[in-house]
Amino acid sequence: LLSPGTLAPCDAEALLRRARRLLDGLAAPAPLLLLREPALGDRELLALARVLAPVLRACEGALALHDRVHLVEAAGAGAVHLG
């Protein structure tokens, strides 16, 4: 799964709702969700990631951050995608 890449800070809650609906509908373990939101600042992205990471872990999935190596540990993400 890939976040849309066009979120404004006010859209982060909408992404969370959408992700929960998707995860609730999966019979198998959740896939990796790549959080790629270049328009969000570090603070907004970290807040969103801190909510998404445990939701994904509960579904046996994982969260990856795009180009935010410095936030991976604080976010509870399992991976980072560079490039």
Side-chain angles (χ1 to χ4, degrees):
L1 300 175
L2 176 65
S3 66
T6 58
L7 289 181
C10 61
D11 295 332
E13 200 54 43
L15 175 63
L16 179 58
R17 284 192 305 273
R18 198 162 89 212
R20 282 192 172 137
R21 280 195 308 272
L22 281 170
L23 294 171
D24 286 345
L26 291 177
L32 177 78
L33 172 65
L34 176 58
L35 187 56
R36 181 188 174 280
E37 295 300 330
L40 295 182
D42 284 352
R43 186 173 297 163
E44 294 90 4
L45 188 101
L46 183 58
L48 178 59
R50 283 180 169 163
V51 174
L52 284 171
V55 170
L56 287 158
R57 277 194 301 273
C59 298
E60 300 179 37
L63 176 66
L65 301 182
H66 185 266
D67 287 341
R68 307 280 181 115
V69 175
H70 58 290
L71 298 180
V72 169
E73 187 175 345
V80 65
H81 176 272
L82 298 174

